[in-house]
Amino acid sequence: DAKTTQPTSMDCAEGRAANLPCNHSTISGNEYVYWYRQIHSQGPQYIIHGLKNNETNEMASLIITEDRKSSTLILPHATLRDTAVYYCIVIRNTDKLIFGTGTRLQVFP
Amino acid sequence: GAVVSQHPSWVICKSGTSVKIECRSLDFQATTMFWYRQFPKQSLMLMATSNEGSKATYEQGVEKDKFLINHASLTLSTLTVTSAHPEDSSFYICSAANLAGGRDYNEQFFGPGTRLTVL
């Protein structure tokens, strides 16, 4: 599975868009980009995933560059409840989700 | 999304005792369940993969005789920490997925976690 690189932490003002980057320069053609998040002391929560097209759901948008070497998760209007650790994971299937260190997003009032 | 429950949500036990944690998929059939462990301020670490009706596959460094996993039905998997010691104190999280049908991808649905404290 491809390795991902994410910033350790980010801040975002409540109501603003939170843009979380992820680099995955060694991604292969049949690997998907998945995003999960973990709010403190809870189990992780699936957010979104994509292969090469941009994706949007009720939680977030996923923008994948044309060369697929990086992606950005966008929370369009961050709230305090979005404070969490966000994990970008690249996998061929969900046989094994391997979590890295993720990005700790702090949304402030 | 699908709902996965864990029981108990927290447990305190004495050193040397065994503790069983249940993971249930409430509204879908989980062909595969995964068990993770998370120490404070660290990321989740995959311990084992459990397929319904077969033996679990453990990750390197995880003792299969200490962490017994049973996945007897499509909605229930159990993790038993045998002869628990203080160093086993951790947050244990399960996830469930339906990998049937040869699909390339699936979402995993995570339980809320079980906090184990061994005195």
Side-chain angles (χ1 to χ4, degrees), chain A residues 31-101:
Chain A
E31 288 181 315
Y32 291 81
V33 181
Y34 274 77
W35 283 83
Y36 283 80
R37 73 179 182 183
Q38 185 179 25
I39 295 170
H40 182 63
S41 294
Q42 297 183 23
Q45 177 188 22
Y46 165 82
I47 301 173
I48 199 167
H49 74 275
L51 182 63
K52 52 185 175 181
N53 296 322
N54 297 338
E55 302 287 344
T56 296
N57 63 21
E58 64 278 3
M59 287 184 69
S61 295
L62 174 61
I63 308 299
I64 303 175
T65 57
E66 193 169 341
D67 63 8
R68 302 211 321 126
K69 293 184 177 182
S70 65
S71 60
T72 301
L73 177 75
I74 300 173
L75 308 179
H77 305 288
T79 71
L80 298 178
R81 286 193 298 260
D82 293 321
T83 293
V85 178
Y86 288 77
Y87 297 97
C88 169
I89 303 170
V90 172
I91 47 173
R92 283 190 298 270
N93 56 54
T94 54
D95 191 11
K96 286 185 186 183
L97 274 179
I98 306 297
F99 288 82
T101 54

Side-chain angles (χ1 to χ4, degrees), chain A residues 12-39:
Chain A
C12 178
E14 189 176 21
R16 305 296 292 269
N19 298 292
L20 291 91
C22 179
N23 286 322
H24 31 80
S25 59
T26 59
I27 191 171
S28 55
N30 57 355
E31 288 181 315
Y32 291 81
V33 181
Y34 274 77
W35 283 83
Y36 283 80
R37 73 179 182 183
Q38 185 179 25
I39 295 170

Side-chain angles (χ1 to χ4, degrees), chain B residues 73-87:
Chain B
S73 78
L74 286 171
T75 59
L76 174 64
S77 176
T78 60
L79 167 69
T80 301
V81 183
T82 61
S83 186
H85 288 94
E87 59 265 29

